[in-house]
Amino acid sequence: MVRKADRLFQLVNLIRVHQPISADRLASRIGVSVRSIYRYIDDLSLSGIPIYGTAGVGYALDADYEMPALTLTRLELNALMLGVEMLTASADNDLGAAARTLLSKVSATIVHHQIEPGLAKVRALGAVPPATRRYLATLRKAIEGTQALSMTYTRLDGVVSHRVVFALGLFYWGGKWTVGCWCCAREGYRDFRVDRITALAASQQPLPDKAAFDLQAYMRHQANQWKLLTATDTTLSV
């Protein structure tokens, strides 16, 4: 069961980020009734949180209000440290460094708890080899900038191909990274194991005029492919 204190913290944070925000939207985001939102607002106001509401507009916070110091449980700290270790061990250097910086910023605001050595008992084991990690930063930046890439790829059977792709998303499978792409040569979505990429460079290939592709479209395509595959397996098993 979610503690009332956690709901109140979530409520204040939602108002701070999305202000002004209506009671209906707050209720939908938190998963409670509008009547509960009204009660929570009253509780916060009585506790000194400067929330004010405008009819037909929604709730907002006083411009000078600052969130209180962050409080995390020991389990939440474990989760945070594990996430940082996983990124440090498996992502590119820039993303790993950003994760460590994030941890230091969070730890500087924590009250009532210290990040103790004992928390490191939960560890992310099995770092991704350098051969896999060397292209992760290039792929990530290409995804952020919708930059075409010229790629040389070696399949598991040894066949080498050269193609131009638009990377859409990186996926970590516990030791292996894959990249979902739009392949210009095949005019379709393709997946590639990052550790099988042997060369990668920026390309000046423009976005195809007829292609309306993005990560969401890629995910829908993958879901449909999975449905077709499982339907075929079911038919064969019968």
Side-chain angles (χ1 to χ4, degrees), residues 18-223:
H18 301 288
Q19 59 186 326
I21 182 171
S22 68
D24 287 337
R25 190 178 174 196
L26 286 169
S28 176
R29 292 292 298 269
I30 296 179
V32 299
S33 67
V34 173
R35 181 175 295 181
S36 294
I37 293 296
Y38 293 150
R39 289 200 304 269
Y40 292 159
I41 294 294
D42 288 341
D43 291 339
L44 289 169
S45 296
L46 290 173
S47 67
I49 306 298
I51 295 177
Y52 60 91
T54 304
V57 177
Y59 293 104
L61 285 164
D62 187 277
D64 296 327
Y65 176 73
E66 294 184 2
M67 291 285 283
L70 185 63
T71 301
L72 297 179
T73 67
R74 189 171 297 274
L75 188 59
E76 288 169 338
L77 281 174
N78 266 311
L80 177 61
M81 292 188 68
L82 179 60
V84 169
E85 286 205 22
M86 289 178 66
L87 279 174
T88 303
S90 59
D92 61 81
N93 292 335
D94 289 343
L95 202 56
R100 290 190 294 272
T101 301
L102 171 62
L103 180 60
S104 66
K105 289 181 178 179
V106 171
S107 64
T109 65
I110 291 174
V111 295
H112 303 312
H113 294 283
Q114 298 289 329
I115 295 182
E116 302 170 356
L119 292 176
K121 291 178 181 178
V122 180
R123 304 299 297 269
L125 302 177
V128 173
T132 298
R133 300 175 64 181
R134 61 178 173 172
Y135 293 125
L136 287 177
T138 301
L139 289 166
R140 178 171 53 80
K141 292 174 183 177
I143 292 170
E144 293 171 354
T146 320
Q147 169 71 55
L149 294 169
S150 176
M151 180 176 69
T152 301
Y153 187 77
T154 303
R155 296 188 333 199
L156 289 175
D157 59 7
V159 174
V160 177
S161 62
H162 307 277
R163 58 186 80 200
V164 175
V165 301
F166 286 90
L168 302 173
L170 283 163
F171 305 91
Y172 184 59
W173 302 89
K176 299 293 183 184
W177 281 93
T178 62
V179 56
C181 299
W182 174 268
C183 178
C184 296
R186 303 292 188 269
E187 293 190 345
Y189 297 107
R190 294 293 186 273
D191 295 292
F192 303 97
R193 273 179 44 176
V194 175
D195 62 319
R196 308 296 300 181
I197 298 174
T198 55
L200 194 67
S203 170
Q204 298 305 311
Q205 175 88 15
L207 283 168
D209 293 335
K210 63 179 181 179
F213 56 85
D214 55 23
L215 179 59
Q216 288 70 33
Y218 162 83
M219 297 297 290
R220 289 194 297 269
H221 170 80
Q222 293 299 85

Side-chain angles (χ1 to χ4, degrees), residues 225-237:
Q225 291 296 107
W226 178 252
K227 288 180 181 178
L228 290 174
L229 179 62
T230 54
T232 301
D233 289 345
T234 301
T235 301
L236 290 177
S237 63

